[in-house]
Amino acid sequence: MTRFAYVNGRYLPQDEALIHIEDRGFQFADAIYEVWSVRSGELLDADGHFGRLERSLAELRITNPKSRAGYRLVIAELLRRNRVRDGLVYLQVSRGRARRDHAFPAAQTRPTVVMTAKRLDPAAADRRADHGVAVITRPDQRWARCDIKTVNLLPNVLAKQAAIEAGAAEAWLVDEAGKVTEGSSTNAWILNAEGVLVTRQADHAILHGITRSTIMNRAAALGYRVEERAFSVEEAQTAREAFMTSATTFVTAITSIDGRPVGNGAPGSVAIALREAYLESL
Ligand code: PDD
């Protein structure tokens, strides 16, 4: 089946969907992106992701080329053309195409909009969550504005690759104070010895995960205490539970950190309950 992508107003077979070599996303990573999960044809946490998209663009002073309704029309058409009921939608907006020069191009330069949709098997993701995953830790080598969802992901790519080569699913990034910031593409959580859920405060050192804030609300509704603060690798290794959240993994239990089992080494009951609460609310 031919997969279709959207590029600057046109739907094209993915192999023919190209951007210019002088696109600023390609030249400078001068671009932002968003990822929505799709379940039963619906976008999860749709407005949260639209809100973050608008914020990322505003922080970089890229003009938002579309309204939410405009993006939604394209998303609906991509889901239809690619026959996606369960999967992902990817959106990228760059500052546009201009002769290579670091400074911003002329004000009339049109942002580039690229959107794709792909199918994923929800059962495969559920099976992974049932088993839990291993993480390793790596120094956080990113810039000082990780709250903006830019495509500038090289440190994340290198950390994820290191995780895969170590037989793990994710790398937790650690700041100079020895505290976990987040995963290479997920937010990081623990359930500490006192039964309190801990996840780093939403400062400039982490992406303000949309799944993270939904889970904070769900957890509070289920009666858990949530503390937003940094935690160390040692605290995580001796926690009762650890897990990660993102649009692609929802809530997925972490069963070991740098080879040391978390709790009894099996997915924790709170992580499982939060995953169920998230998916049930759809
Ligand atoms: N990643 N932290 C980082 C660095 C991320 O890249 C992501 C998302 C998250 C979780 O955010 P959210 O809950 O809004 O998905 C945290 C996406 C899924 C990706 O890059 O594919």
Side-chain angles (χ1 to χ4, degrees):
M1 191 190 105
T2 308
R3 286 181 63 198
F4 285 91
Y6 171 93
V7 183
N8 289 334
R10 298 206 297 158
Y11 297 92
L12 296 162
Q14 241 180 62
D15 290 349
E16 295 162 31
L18 306 172
I19 59 151
H20 197 270
I21 57 166
E22 285 198 309
D23 193 275
R24 292 182 63 95
F26 177 65
Q27 293 285 355
F28 299 114
D30 190 359
I32 62 93
Y33 76 108
E34 269 305 324
V35 179
W36 287 261
S37 203
V38 181
R39 282 267 172 137
S40 306
E42 297 289 328
L43 295 180
L44 306 196
D45 286 330
D47 287 335
H49 288 275
F50 280 119
R52 187 172 62 192
L53 166 72
E54 289 153 5
R55 177 177 180 275
S56 296
L57 289 169
E59 289 290 336
L60 299 185
R61 293 158 57 200
I62 297 175
T63 312
N64 190 349
K66 282 188 191 296
S67 63
R68 289 189 189 191
Y71 287 119
R72 276 185 179 276
L73 276 177
V74 177
I75 291 170
E77 182 60 16
L78 277 179
L79 295 181
R80 192 185 70 74
R81 288 193 188 221
N82 291 296
R83 296 192 206 144
V84 177
R85 279 193 56 74
D86 296 295
L88 289 182
V89 170
Y90 176 84
L91 159 66
Q92 183 178 141
V93 181
S94 87
R95 202 181 302 278
R97 166 188 163 184
R99 227 169 104 158
R100 189 177 182 280
D101 181 359
H102 288 63
F104 288 2
Q108 68 270 21
T109 305
R110 273 190 305 118
T112 300
V113 182
V114 170
M115 295 172 79
T116 57
K118 73 173 171 194
R119 280 195 233 172
L120 286 177
D121 175 13
D126 290 345
R127 275 197 299 276
R128 199 160 120 120
D130 286 346
H131 286 107
V133 298
V135 302
I136 60 164
T137 61
R138 276 288 172 277
D140 193 339
Q141 297 176 326
R142 300 173 302 161
W143 74 324
R145 289 304 306 274
C146 295
D147 57 308
I148 309 172
K149 198 164 171 67
T150 77
V151 300
N152 188 348
L153 291 172
L154 187 54
N156 310 57
V157 165
L158 296 176
K160 182 80 89 188
Q161 182 61 22
I164 302 302
E165 287 174 12
E170 178 60 303
W172 272 9
L173 307 175
V174 181
D175 68 15
E176 284 179 356
K179 309 279 189 184
V180 174
T181 53
E182 62 182 330
S184 71
S185 62
T186 55
N187 287 116
W189 297 68
I190 57 170
L191 179 76
N192 74 9
E194 288 76 49
V196 178
L197 287 165
V198 185
T199 190
R200 192 180 176 107
Q201 67 278 7
D203 53 18
H204 286 178
I206 68 164
L207 186 74
H208 303 180
I210 304 305
T211 320
R212 172 187 175 281
S213 43
T214 301
I215 292 298
M216 281 179 59
N217 294 334
R218 293 277 186 289
L222 289 172
Y224 295 105
R225 239 178 76 207
V226 182
E227 249 174 54
E228 286 186 87
R229 63 164 175 85
F231 57 84
S232 67
V233 176
E234 295 68 45
E235 195 179 353
Q237 282 174 324
T238 54
R240 273 198 225 161
E241 295 189 23
F243 59 91
M244 58 192 190
T245 58
S246 74
T248 48
T249 62
F250 308 129
V251 178
T252 297
I254 290 167
T255 49
S256 75
I257 302 170
D258 285 337
R260 280 188 55 178
V262 178
N264 63 5
S269 57
V270 174
I272 293 169
L274 289 173
R275 183 184 176 88
E276 280 169 7
Y278 185 74
L279 293 173
E280 268 165 20
S281 64
L282 303 180

